[in-house]
Amino acid sequence: MTTPIRKTGRVQAAPEHFLDSALVEDINRAGIDDARRGFLRRSFLAAGAAMGAGTALAQDGGAGDPNILVLPAHSRTLGKPVVTNPYGQPSQYEANLQRRESPGLTRVGAASVSFTPLQGLFGIITPSGLHFERHHQGWHDIDPTKHRFMINGLVKNPKVYTMDDLMRMPSVSRMHFIECGANTAMEWGNVAVPSVQYSHGMLSCSEFTGVPLSVLLEDCGVDKRRAKVVLAEGADGSSMTRTISLERALDDVIVAWAMNGEMLRPEHGYPLRLVVPGVQGVSWVKWLRRIEVGDQPYATKDESLHYIDALPDGTFRQYTSIQECKSVITTPSAGQRLLDTGYYNITGLAWSGRGKIKRVDVSVDGGRNWRTARLETPLLSKCLSRFNIDWDWNGAPAVLQSRAIDETGYVQPKINELRAVRGTRSIYHNNAIQSWQVAQSGEVSNVQVD
Amino acid sequence: MTTPIRKTGRVQAAPEHFLDSALVEDINRAGIDDARRGFLRRSFLAAGAAMGAGTALAQDGGAGDPNILVLPAHSRTLGKPVVTNPYGQPSQYEANLQRRESPGLTRVGAASVSFTPLQGLFGIITPSGLHFERHHQGWHDIDPTKHRFMINGLVKNPKVYTMDDLMRMPSVSRMHFIECGANTAMEWGNVAVPSVQYSHGMLSCSEFTGVPLSVLLEDCGVDKRRAKVVLAEGADGSSMTRTISLERALDDVIVAWAMNGEMLRPEHGYPLRLVVPGVQGVSWVKWLRRIEVGDQPYATKDESLHYIDALPDGTFRQYTSIQECKSVITTPSAGQRLLDTGYYNITGLAWSGRGKIKRVDVSVDGGRNWRTARLETPLLSKCLSRFNIDWDWNGAPAVLQSRAIDETGYVQPKINELRAVRGTRSIYHNNAIQSWQVAQSGEVSNVQVD
């Protein structure tokens, strides 16, 4: 049967394989659905579409035989040449996978958020084109040859660096997650947003390359006796300035020019952004133009008035910046629909601003029973980790949850455990367990359970 | 001096910092150059460009004062809104960083190569838009809802899978390099191609997600008593078919639908490609439509006539597929120019088809003296590893080389050591040490030294 292939490897031999009636039957039964959602649907419409291929030109020997699946056009024609796209783009069939803004979330798009479509992504790397955006006065595409970066304040030798100065210095590359401090904010008030893109999509993960801030502070002769903090300042019009402790600044902070192997994208701070592993995104100052070394927190507007935690007693907690251990199931998730019973691979993401993920447990009954999920490697510090676990859906209603534990032993809390301490008026730093309800219809929705 | 910032964090305070005459002098001295190449040039033209900014509108208090660097427009205006690009793109200043075809390398672009611009990349992840291309009959954008994947041959239950069937199965995500067996081919004949993009650019590295082939072979009931190999077949018109040993097929081979977090790009096999870690790219069959299980190698045209090694005695070595341990310095590299003496961070990539990289040594004197480079983490098996090492260039001619050693203890050979065994008529599987000559002028060129 495979002789033609043994002899020449020519594709024309392939239809012969399909003469096996069992296979043909299987092909005609096989359902068709939005491949990205990864669910199987039995559908006459779909089967019809599959048979539709049979109306194409028949190959030699196959003409008129209903049992022969005809080779599709792409198996019989010359395709497009290389460098059709000198910089490649996704398939036309993936056009619906986009960063999306939550309508009405803010007054203007220049001070808004676009969310990463976590429900359609795989592994731990976020494609740069789908990396979430959060701007305070819009984004700019800055000419790197004119950009300057200054270090001043409590240093012996204040300096101004060009991009060239920085990019010839010792560099490091590290994979880290970045999460906005306001990610999952709506859940505090029990607002069930419609999908994981809007509930958890202010989260991305990339490989960042740049020079350690510690190297630059050393180069400028930081005054370690008096210095306690640094202030990071962006070059956009938003006056984005954040205080970072000197201890952290000398630890794993990077003055980065590259993300996922190429120069930063404009909306992510091209040509220079601060990378502050484990800390909320607002401190990863974009279009970075200045680091000032000081002896006390600067109390700038974005740390004294914004990104602060409203507590039950009416006071506000300032300078909380670490993104605590958290996880979420991305498939199945709200807005999706299970189109068939049987086996599913439940998959999701876990991360901690304090180090590596040690374990992720998954429940399909609202937290009564837990099973430990498989963790993909590499398991990196302050980086997303991908988990997978098997599930055979019997068609009955279910509530899916994931619970992450990091290397410090910290366990991701339930939403009501968080509320008991922090109340319901908070906006930032919600790392609660997320619940997805699967209805008998297969519809998946966002619910909150005790 | 910083009071205004302490009070409000407003950007208007920034120009005051620049009043420090030492800084202003530094700024005016500071050279400007193509930031991507990361070298510093002293240039009146450049300094002029920098001063040009001074012609913009002056801020309050700064008008007319030549010592005040005026805030650029992007610090004084409203930027672009979020989702200006629902799928983001690189900066306009990075437009020159492209996949490029080597003119005249092949007769038609549909059976050609586009090379990855390694000289402009960072870390280990290759942006999908710059991932190299190698097509044998061009690329297609296949409708995933119509695509089918069949497993037949020596299996109990031959099956045809839809994308939905596959994507609900247990999946894994792994980071691996892919290198064409013909990468660095021209060096055999002592043809010094002009840049690392053309000498080593058939190399990329990504995170791939899919279902292990072992799971699918199990699902079909592979006959482990008789089966010795599998044949992978693509759906394009090139009849691309490659034999892979059953042992490898059951080890770490993945039937993958995703690359770097999103669905595969069309030119990389959307919606399905075989991932064969450590093995030359031709075996990573794109637009994968069939795996046939057999009891002996299939000797298809692309393994019996192509991708074979010409030996000195006129015979050809077949079925050599592992990409042996190799490395290359990407900066500085041929086609670049060192525009100043002083400190440089020499950086490059190392990889091995047999496991992890253990060590990379770097020489700046053509191999007489070697220093051990810093290796970035994570260090993954059959994945690119990024190395860095400090170099203070004194302006004298130099020959830069890197030499990788993998965890098996294998040491990357010199080109003449390879030729002693394999002659000069070979095309494939050249993993020799690469030499870059730095002239007194700073010009870097591709040379071969003993």
Side-chain angles (χ1 to χ4, degrees):
Chain A
M1 161 166 112
T2 59
T3 308
I5 284 189
R6 285 181 189 277
K7 211 168 54 208
T8 69
R10 283 163 56 81
V11 178
Q12 281 84 324
E16 300 176 12
H17 298 298
F18 290 101
L19 284 171
D20 177 318
S21 61
L23 295 187
V24 173
E25 185 191 342
D26 192 352
I27 289 167
N28 296 345
R29 269 198 304 97
I32 291 172
D33 193 21
D34 171 357
R36 193 186 320 107
R37 292 178 54 183
F39 303 132
L40 180 62
R41 170 170 55 197
R42 307 290 184 204
S43 150
F44 292 105
L45 173 71
M51 290 312 290
T55 64
L57 275 178
Q59 294 301 286
D60 17 308
D65 183 338
N67 279 343
I68 290 185
L69 267 204
V70 176
L71 285 177
H74 56 259
S75 299
R76 294 180 277 112
T77 57
L78 190 66
K80 297 189 185 72
V82 295
V83 293
T84 299
N85 300 316
Y87 192 93
Q89 300 299 329
S91 161
Q92 61 180 314
Y93 300 104
E94 299 300 316
N96 196 42
L97 196 70
Q98 300 183 351
R99 296 189 287 218
R100 297 183 188 277
E101 187 178 7
S102 181
L105 184 64
T106 65
R107 301 282 293 278
V108 297
S112 187
V113 174
S114 73
F115 298 85
T116 292
L118 299 175
Q119 72 281 5
L121 299 186
F122 308 90
I124 62 174
I125 295 293
T126 307
S128 297
L130 296 173
H131 187 111
F132 81 96
E133 302 168 281
R134 169 65 171 121
H135 309 310
H136 293 77
Q137 199 169 326
W139 63 273
H140 301 270
D141 193 1
I142 296 175
D143 181 345
T145 63
K146 296 196 172 63
H147 188 67
R148 294 293 183 272
F149 171 64
M150 179 166 75
I151 295 183
N152 69 331
L154 300 177
V155 295
K156 285 187 192 60
N157 313 301
K159 289 191 179 181
V160 172
Y161 299 88
T162 64
M163 287 303 298
D164 300 333
D165 296 337
L166 296 171
M167 294 177 73
R168 67 191 288 183
M169 296 184 92
S171 65
V172 296
S173 296
R174 307 263 171 78
M175 295 181 192
H176 291 298
F177 77 83
I178 172 173
E179 181 182 23
C180 177
N183 202 25
T184 329
M186 306 302 281
E187 305 289 317
W188 278 118
N190 207 355
V191 177
V193 298
S195 77
V196 70
Q197 177 163 9
Y198 294 117
S199 67
H200 289 74
M202 284 195 277
L203 171 73
S204 295
C205 184
S206 300
E207 179 183 35
F208 295 93
T209 299
V211 53
L213 179 54
S214 59
V215 170
L216 295 171
L217 289 173
E218 204 56 51
D219 186 47
C220 294
V222 58
D223 180 348
K224 289 183 179 168
R225 191 176 48 77
R226 296 164 56 207
K228 297 282 182 296
V229 301
V230 303
L231 182 78
E233 179 182 87
D236 65 320
S238 73
S239 317
M240 181 48 63
T241 37
R242 295 285 308 185
T243 298
I244 300 164
S245 75
L246 184 68
E247 181 186 13
R248 181 178 301 282
L250 293 173
D251 180 12
D252 56 4
V253 176
I254 303 170
V255 174
W257 52 77
M259 183 169 89
N260 287 344
E262 63 189 341
M263 292 295 285
L264 288 158
R265 299 291 178 85
E267 66 270 34
H268 300 129
Y270 181 85
L272 209 59
R273 119 173 272 178
L274 200 63
V275 168
V276 192
V279 171
Q280 61 184 342
V282 67
S283 293
W284 297 44
V285 173
K286 291 180 286 191
W287 313 290
L288 183 70
R289 77 164 173 205
R290 194 169 69 91
I291 291 281
E292 178 177 317
V293 180
D295 57 5
Q296 62 179 289
Y298 284 77
T300 64
K301 74 179 195 316
D302 284 291
E303 55 196 14
S304 56
L305 305 178
H306 307 152
Y307 297 90
I308 54 179
D309 300 322
L311 301 179
D313 64 3
T315 63
F316 289 86
R317 190 173 62 170
Q318 291 180 317
Y319 296 108
T320 48
S321 58
I322 301 276
Q323 297 299 103
E324 298 291 354
C325 184
K326 187 172 175 179
S327 71
V328 66
I329 293 169
T330 54
T331 297
S333 61
Q336 299 181 329
R337 190 155 70 87
L338 276 57
L339 297 156
D340 193 25
T341 58
Y343 179 90
Y344 287 96
N345 179 53
I346 296 177
T347 186
L349 297 164
W351 60 100
S352 169
R354 298 197 186 272
K356 298 179 181 178
I357 290 297
K358 189 171 73 185
R359 198 179 93 209
V360 176
D361 299 327
V362 170
S363 173
V364 297
D365 58 10
R368 277 184 295 283
N369 300 286
W370 296 90
R371 287 181 300 145
T372 296
R374 298 184 293 273
L375 288 175
E376 295 291 338
T377 55
L379 282 173
L380 303 174
S381 181
K382 306 174 184 180
C383 182
L384 291 188
S385 295
R386 169 70 61 174
F387 64 86
N388 295 287
I389 192 167
D390 307 324
W391 182 43
D392 203 314
W393 186 44
N394 59 10
V399 174
L400 311 183
Q401 299 179 329
S402 64
R403 177 181 64 190
I405 303 170
D406 69 18
E407 64 181 339
T408 71
Y410 176 98
V411 181
Q412 182 181 7
K414 298 178 181 180
I415 183 69
N416 288 334
E417 290 172 337
L418 269 186
R419 289 197 179 115
V421 180
R422 304 204 4 224
T424 59
R425 301 172 52 250
S426 210
I427 296 175
Y428 302 97
H429 310 119
N430 174 6
N431 66 317
I433 290 172
Q434 177 67 47
S435 302
W436 305 125
Q437 183 157 51
V438 181
Q440 203 151 6
S441 64
E443 302 285 348
V444 186
S445 57
N446 183 354
V447 294
Q448 291 195 356
V449 299
D450 289 350
Chain B
M1 162 168 112
T2 58
T3 308
I5 285 187
R6 285 180 189 277
K7 212 167 57 208
T8 69
R10 284 163 57 80
V11 178
Q12 281 82 328
E16 300 174 12
H17 300 297
F18 290 100
L19 284 172
D20 178 319
S21 61
L23 295 188
V24 174
E25 187 191 342
D26 191 351
I27 290 165
N28 296 345
R29 266 198 306 97
I32 290 171
D33 190 25
D34 171 357
R36 194 185 320 108
R37 292 179 55 183
F39 303 131
L40 181 61
R41 170 171 56 198
R42 309 290 185 204
S43 151
F44 291 106
L45 173 70
M51 290 312 290
T55 63
L57 275 178
Q59 294 301 286
D60 15 308
D65 182 338
N67 279 343
I68 291 185
L69 269 203
V70 176
L71 284 177
H74 56 258
S75 300
R76 294 180 277 112
T77 57
L78 191 65
K80 298 189 183 70
V82 295
V83 293
T84 299
N85 300 316
Y87 192 93
Q89 301 299 329
S91 161
Q92 61 181 311
Y93 300 104
E94 299 300 317
N96 197 42
L97 195 69
Q98 299 182 353
R99 297 189 286 218
R100 296 183 188 279
E101 186 178 9
S102 180
L105 184 63
T106 64
R107 300 282 292 278
V108 297
S112 188
V113 174
S114 73
F115 298 84
T116 292
L118 299 175
Q119 72 280 5
L121 300 186
F122 308 89
I124 61 174
I125 294 294
T126 306
S128 297
L130 296 173
H131 188 112
F132 81 95
E133 301 167 283
R134 169 64 171 123
H135 308 311
H136 294 76
Q137 198 167 328
W139 62 273
H140 302 270
D141 194 1
I142 296 174
D143 182 344
T145 65
K146 298 200 171 64
H147 189 66
R148 295 292 183 274
F149 171 62
M150 179 166 75
I151 294 183
N152 69 333
L154 299 177
V155 294
K156 286 187 192 57
N157 313 302
K159 289 191 179 181
V160 173
Y161 299 88
T162 65
M163 287 303 299
D164 299 334
D165 296 336
L166 296 171
M167 293 177 73
R168 67 191 288 184
M169 297 184 92
S171 64
V172 296
S173 297
R174 308 262 172 78
M175 295 181 192
H176 291 298
F177 76 82
I178 171 173
E179 180 181 23
C180 177
N183 202 25
T184 328
M186 306 302 280
E187 306 288 318
W188 278 119
N190 208 355
V191 177
V193 298
S195 77
V196 70
Q197 178 164 8
Y198 294 118
S199 67
H200 289 73
M202 284 194 278
L203 172 73
S204 295
C205 183
S206 300
E207 180 184 35
F208 295 93
T209 299
V211 53
L213 179 55
S214 60
V215 170
L216 295 171
L217 289 174
E218 204 57 50
D219 186 47
C220 294
V222 58
D223 180 347
K224 289 183 178 169
R225 192 175 49 76
R226 295 164 57 207
K228 296 282 181 297
V229 301
V230 303
L231 181 78
E233 178 182 270
D236 65 321
S238 73
S239 317
M240 182 49 64
T241 38
R242 295 285 308 185
T243 298
I244 299 163
S245 75
L246 184 67
E247 181 186 13
R248 182 178 300 283
L250 293 173
D251 179 14
D252 57 3
V253 176
I254 303 170
V255 174
W257 52 77
M259 183 170 90
N260 287 343
E262 63 189 342
M263 293 294 286
L264 288 158
R265 299 292 178 83
E267 66 270 35
H268 301 129
Y270 181 85
L272 209 59
R273 123 173 267 178
L274 200 63
V275 168
V276 192
V279 170
Q280 61 185 342
V282 68
S283 292
W284 297 44
V285 174
K286 291 179 286 189
W287 314 290
L288 182 71
R289 77 161 173 210
R290 194 169 67 93
I291 292 281
E292 178 177 317
V293 181
D295 56 6
Q296 61 177 288
Y298 285 77
T300 65
K301 76 180 193 316
D302 283 291
E303 54 196 15
S304 57
L305 304 178
H306 307 151
Y307 296 90
I308 54 179
D309 299 323
L311 300 179
D313 63 6
T315 63
F316 289 85
R317 188 172 63 171
Q318 291 181 317
Y319 296 108
T320 48
S321 58
I322 301 276
Q323 297 300 103
E324 299 290 354
C325 184
K326 186 172 175 180
S327 71
V328 65
I329 293 169
T330 54
T331 297
S333 61
Q336 299 181 329
R337 189 157 69 91
L338 276 57
L339 297 154
D340 193 26
T341 57
Y343 179 90
Y344 287 96
N345 179 55
I346 295 177
T347 185
L349 297 164
W351 61 100
S352 169
R354 298 197 186 273
K356 298 179 180 178
I357 290 298
K358 189 171 74 184
R359 198 178 94 212
V360 176
D361 299 327
V362 171
S363 172
V364 296
D365 57 11
R368 278 184 294 283
N369 300 286
W370 296 90
R371 288 182 299 146
T372 297
R374 298 182 294 273
L375 288 175
E376 294 292 336
T377 55
L379 281 173
L380 303 173
S381 181
K382 306 174 184 179
C383 183
L384 291 188
S385 295
R386 168 70 60 173
F387 64 86
N388 295 287
I389 191 167
D390 307 324
W391 182 43
D392 202 314
W393 186 46
N394 60 11
V399 174
L400 311 183
Q401 298 179 329
S402 65
R403 178 182 64 192
I405 303 170
D406 70 19
E407 64 182 340
T408 71
Y410 176 97
V411 180
Q412 182 181 7
K414 298 179 182 179
I415 182 69
N416 288 335
E417 290 172 337
L418 269 186
R419 289 198 179 113
V421 179
R422 310 221 342 239
T424 58
R425 301 173 51 251
S426 210
I427 296 174
Y428 302 97
H429 309 119
N430 174 6
N431 66 318
I433 290 172
Q434 178 67 47
S435 302
W436 305 125
Q437 183 158 53
V438 181
Q440 202 151 8
S441 65
E443 302 286 348
V444 186
S445 57
N446 182 354
V447 295
Q448 290 194 358
V449 299
D450 289 349

